[in-house]
Amino acid sequence: MFFPILFALADVQADREIARRLKNREQEALGTLHDRYGRLAFSLILRVVKNSAVAEDLVQETFLRVWNRAQAFDEEKGALGPWVLTVARNRAIDYLRSVNGRMSQNMYELSGNEQQSMFGDLEKDILNSDRARILREAFQKLNENQKTVLEMAYFEGLSQTEMAEKMKQPLGTVKTWVRSGLQALRAELGEALMA
Amino acid sequence: MICEELKEMYELYAMGVSDDPERSEINSHLAQGCVTCTKGVKHAFETVSIIGTTAFDVAPPARLRARVMASIRSEPAKQSFWNLPYAWMGLAAALAMVALGLWNREVGLDRSLEEARQQISALSQTQERDQAAIRRVNAALNFLNQPETRLVTTSGKAIELPPKARVFVNAKTGVLMMAGNLPKLGLGKIYEMWLIPKGGAAPVPAGLFQSDETGTAMHLRPGTVDVASTAAVAITVEPESGSAAPTTTPILVMGLSD
């Protein structure tokens, strides 16, 4: 059973201020960022690597990476929370792949999806929005197969081909589960999110 | 491929797990400034970010914040610019430089700067990855090389392929456990290590870990250990979020007095 993470209410203005201070190389801003998103990053990474000591290492790497890349972040356009979350997930998936000896063709793409431009124009407080609540509830309503494949994609970084091998299922079956799962999420979110 | 065929793949693309040819096609559409795909992929990033928040909520240890801050402490602390000597003179000089720069700016300059920025970014990523790997290896080697570290061995009681583990204890830096033949766990389960105090006091949680597909695992619980008052190290199977006290019979118990 899942319990959606409860965030401290993100203040968009505060996020913007944190981003500005990070760009100004104010070290305490990183502490503030950790206070706001550290628990979320730790929970996500722990879910991926299932080892608390490794998760601590990777949270540290995540925030160091954010610190080193803050100069490129546009606080007026970007959504800080989703960016931190993406960096955290990428660190965890990279670790998983290195441990499993699984050098993925998607390695470049993982780093590519941290490009700040991808987070421009996102709703700034998306993680706390009504749409986030609707999607989290919709996720729990998926059937077991749909939920399993989407979790394998997000939390294990597996492609559909890799999922099919791991689950010993035909690729077409896995693709159907992925497609129907995503369609169900989109249907719950409605046109408001996808339009 | 047309956008209509690609839209089913936007979320997988945003997760970095899409297969070819769709991945290359989306890359191509984005590179060409395709409005439909750009909008769709950004929506997909929203969806994907929210999926990340369905993970179990686990509080990180309090020490983690200090570790994060320590990782950037080597940089000199930033002072307010306006408190620096000659700040205003500097500002005037900087403005003059900017004006001069604008005057001399050429189209090629932007491109060169962008290329340089990308090269620095690539180097920085490689360096971070290498440093992380070196940190982990160094931590394990330092632990094993310290004279206080000692080896504890034991085996479980299962008749066939019993779980086995070796535990290294260092009073100053922690407990390192290396296990083999661990049974495969079902969904939602995880191994948890415990320090069992002498005298019947409650076991102390010492971290969560998973075994790999061959049933082997390595887990380090960093920090000091009161060896004199610790009777054993134990491993149990727990719910994925871990437990404050063991909820199952240990599959391995390793006495420190062995």
Side-chain angles (χ1 to χ4, degrees):
Chain A
M1 182 177 180
F2 288 97
F3 295 94
I5 291 172
L6 300 174
F7 303 114
L9 275 181
D11 178 333
V12 175
Q13 193 58 40
D15 269 6
R16 198 171 290 166
E17 176 63 12
I18 292 170
R20 188 195 62 74
R21 290 171 57 209
L22 287 172
K23 290 173 77 169
N24 199 33
R25 311 303 284 170
E26 293 180 35
Q27 295 180 347
E28 275 311 310
L30 192 69
T32 308
L33 185 74
H34 182 271
D35 294 340
R36 188 177 291 277
Y37 295 111
R39 182 173 180 135
L40 176 57
F42 182 76
S43 299
L44 168 58
I45 290 173
L46 185 62
R47 171 69 175 80
V48 175
V49 303
K50 303 183 190 310
N51 180 312
S52 56
V54 172
E56 285 185 49
D57 281 351
L58 295 175
V59 168
Q60 187 178 355
E61 288 176 28
T62 295
F63 281 88
L64 182 58
R65 192 176 180 89
V66 168
W67 172 257
N68 286 335
R69 282 163 177 67
Q71 290 296 328
F73 195 84
D74 184 345
E75 65 269 29
E76 296 303 321
K77 289 185 177 176
L80 196 56
W83 183 46
V84 172
L85 211 59
T86 299
V87 174
R89 174 182 173 264
N90 288 356
R91 301 278 65 69
I93 299 292
D94 275 356
Y95 171 83
L96 213 56
R97 287 172 174 171
S98 67
V99 167
N100 295 339
R102 189 161 57 92
M103 195 62 191
S104 169
Q105 59 176 345
N106 294 317
M107 288 294 273
Y108 172 78
E109 196 170 344
L110 269 187
S111 291
N113 69 11
E114 289 172 15
Q115 294 298 318
Q116 195 268 325
S117 60
M118 292 294 187
F119 301 91
D121 303 327
L122 291 193
E123 184 178 329
K124 300 297 188 298
D125 202 10
I126 181 65
L127 299 180
N128 290 301
S129 65
D130 281 344
R131 292 187 290 178
R133 180 184 53 75
I134 291 168
L135 193 135
R136 282 192 286 265
E137 289 172 3
F139 197 81
Q140 303 312 323
K141 289 182 195 167
L142 297 177
N143 69 40
E144 277 308 307
N145 288 329
Q146 293 168 333
K147 199 187 296 183
T148 298
V149 291
L150 292 184
E151 286 180 343
M152 288 172 96
Y154 186 83
F155 292 112
E156 298 180 43
L158 297 182
S159 68
Q160 294 180 106
T161 306
E162 290 168 325
M163 287 180 220
E165 287 172 11
K166 184 170 182 177
M167 299 175 80
K168 297 183 172 38
Q169 293 286 341
L171 179 58
T173 303
V174 168
K175 284 187 173 181
T176 300
W177 289 339
V178 169
R179 189 166 57 246
S180 62
L182 290 172
Q183 282 172 347
L185 294 182
R186 293 189 198 109
E188 290 280 344
L189 284 168
E191 291 303 313
L193 180 61
M194 304 311 296
Chain B
M1 296 173 83
I2 61 172
C3 304
E4 186 65 21
E5 296 172 285
L6 297 174
K7 70 177 187 183
E8 296 280 336
M9 302 300 297
Y10 289 155
E11 286 84 1
L12 294 182
Y13 179 86
M15 291 185 208
V17 297
S18 53
D19 287 314
D20 271 332
E22 290 87 355
R23 181 173 52 128
S24 301
E25 286 286 336
I26 293 175
N27 276 336
S28 172
H29 278 235
L30 294 179
Q32 291 167 18
C34 169
V35 175
T36 304
C37 285
T38 301
K39 192 173 178 181
V41 168
K42 283 189 174 177
H43 280 311
F45 268 95
E46 286 186 340
T47 305
V48 165
S49 295
I50 296 166
I51 290 175
T53 68
T54 62
F56 284 105
D57 182 15
V58 183
R63 63 176 174 270
L64 187 52
R65 188 184 195 278
R67 283 186 57 183
V68 168
M69 296 307 292
S71 64
I72 59 164
R73 288 288 187 222
S74 55
E75 279 193 22
K78 176 81 178 177
Q79 291 183 27
S80 172
F81 174 77
W82 305 111
N83 292 335
L84 295 174
Y86 309 115
W88 291 99
M89 286 174 62
L91 175 63
L95 286 173
M97 295 279 287
V98 168
L100 188 61
L102 287 172
W103 180 263
N104 290 321
R105 187 168 181 166
E106 295 176 4
V107 176
L109 183 59
D110 274 347
R111 192 173 303 147
S112 299
L113 281 172
E114 182 57 29
E115 285 172 2
R117 201 173 289 130
Q118 286 176 3
Q119 287 173 357
I120 290 168
S121 174
L123 284 171
S124 173
Q125 288 174 25
T126 304
Q127 187 188 19
E128 280 176 17
R129 210 164 15 241
D130 291 347
Q131 284 176 343
I134 290 167
R135 269 203 307 275
R136 279 195 283 274
V137 171
N138 279 343
L141 288 177
N142 285 339
F143 179 90
L144 291 173
N145 283 335
Q146 290 174 33
E148 296 89 347
T149 301
R150 61 193 179 93
L151 174 66
V152 182
T153 61
T154 188
S155 66
K157 294 178 181 173
I159 295 171
E160 292 182 346
L161 294 176
K164 290 182 178 177
R166 288 185 171 188
V167 172
F168 298 87
V169 180
N170 184 311
K172 292 179 182 172
T173 52
V175 179
L176 175 67
M177 185 277 309
M178 291 187 283
N181 298 337
L182 294 174
K184 188 178 168 106
L185 297 181
L187 279 177
K189 297 294 182 185
I190 197 165
Y191 289 110
E192 185 157 8
M193 189 164 88
W194 306 90
L195 301 183
I196 314 292
K198 289 178 180 172
V204 179
L208 306 173
F209 64 95
Q210 287 280 13
S211 61
D212 64 18
E213 291 179 355
T214 65
T216 58
M218 183 171 76
H219 174 65
L220 173 64
R221 199 285 263 157
T224 58
V225 182
D226 185 352
V227 179
S229 66
T230 302
V233 174
I235 307 296
T236 64
V237 177
E238 300 294 335
E240 195 171 33
S241 56
S243 302
T247 61
T248 62
T249 305
I251 61 167
L252 281 171
V253 178
M254 294 143 281
L256 296 195
S257 57
D258 288 352

